[in-house]
Amino acid sequence: MSKIETLLLEKLTGVIDIIIKTEEEALAMGDFDDLSRTEMQTLIAIGPYDKLSMSAVAEKVGVTAGTLTVQVKKLRKKGYVDKTKNKDDKRISELSLTRKGKIAVRLHQRSMRAVMNAITEPLTEEQTEFMAETLDKVYKYMLATYKEYKDKEKERERKVSEASQIKENNKDYENAVSYT
């Protein structure tokens, strides 16, 4: 790795780490100290205006429906989320933010806008556009890499399950043969 690549990697991982730490600290010190960073991301995914299905929110957040169900239960108990049945299809559960949830999201968005203003203020418009385009490329690459990783993980799990099933079938066969 070249010196500039090493520097870029250090800065990128540093930025990611400090964003996560800052977000966690801001939540812990603010009016919404009962929210985790992950819970805030779920509130943001639900959004302050629309009702979204559980599956749509799970997809936006990148979690399974089961994981989201557990998180929604906690967020409902804390008073941030409402869960209702779709009036046309009762099988579909829809999520919306309560007043408290909307306030939490708006305050979080306000603080994120302040961070973005601090980052972009000293830059020219061209520099800001270049940074946005570059970060978009980084994001797309990382998203594709993550998806590839998850696909490989699912394939590995499938193979383990198949191997386990074959082993179980062989054991049943051996037991049947030894019995006769």
Side-chain angles (χ1 to χ4, degrees):
M1 201 178 315
S2 71
K3 284 183 181 180
I4 193 69
E5 288 171 329
T6 301
L7 178 66
L8 282 170
L9 183 59
E10 287 175 7
K11 296 301 177 186
L12 182 60
T13 55
V15 166
I16 292 167
D17 288 346
I18 200 69
I19 287 171
I20 290 169
K21 288 175 185 172
T22 301
E23 202 170 12
E24 288 170 348
E25 290 295 320
L27 285 169
M29 291 178 3
D31 295 330
F32 304 100
D33 60 348
D34 62 337
L35 284 174
S36 70
R37 188 177 159 277
T38 305
E39 289 171 330
M40 178 57 79
Q41 296 305 319
T42 301
L43 296 181
I44 291 167
I46 295 168
Y49 306 110
D50 299 323
K51 283 186 175 183
L52 288 179
S53 70
M54 290 277 289
S55 57
V57 174
E59 187 175 324
K60 279 177 96 172
V61 178
V63 298
T64 65
T67 299
L68 183 65
T69 298
V70 171
Q71 196 169 72
V72 166
K73 187 175 182 178
K74 291 177 186 175
L75 289 168
R76 289 180 68 203
K77 190 174 183 178
K78 293 177 183 181
Y80 290 100
V81 172
D82 282 328
K83 181 178 171 184
T84 57
K85 294 289 183 187
N86 180 292
K87 59 185 167 198
D88 298 325
D89 187 344
K90 300 295 181 202
R91 296 171 297 168
I92 299 173
S93 292
E94 295 179 321
L95 303 175
S96 60
L97 299 181
T98 62
R99 185 174 188 283
K100 183 178 179 182
K102 290 176 183 180
I103 291 169
V105 168
R106 286 190 186 117
L107 289 175
H108 182 269
Q109 289 172 335
R110 185 181 301 156
S111 68
M112 290 297 102
R113 272 194 302 278
V115 168
M116 285 312 304
N117 287 339
I119 291 170
T120 60
E121 188 177 316
L123 303 177
T124 65
E125 188 173 332
E126 292 80 21
Q127 290 171 321
T128 302
E129 286 175 14
F130 178 76
M131 184 169 71
E133 290 167 6
T134 302
L135 288 174
D136 185 55
K137 289 176 185 176
V138 170
Y139 173 78
K140 286 176 180 172
Y141 169 78
M142 294 305 299
L143 188 62
T145 301
Y146 178 73
K147 184 182 179 325
E148 187 177 305
Y149 168 78
K150 293 303 276 182
D151 289 346
K152 285 179 182 177
E153 184 179 48
K154 284 180 185 175
E155 180 63 18
R156 227 179 357 261
E157 289 172 0
R158 187 189 61 75
K159 286 179 180 179
V160 167
S161 177
E162 278 180 10
S164 178
Q165 187 63 41
I166 290 169
K167 186 176 179 181
E168 190 63 36
N169 289 343
N170 285 341
K171 192 185 282 183
D172 290 343
Y173 175 76
E174 290 170 8
N175 287 339
V177 169
S178 67
Y179 181 75
T180 56

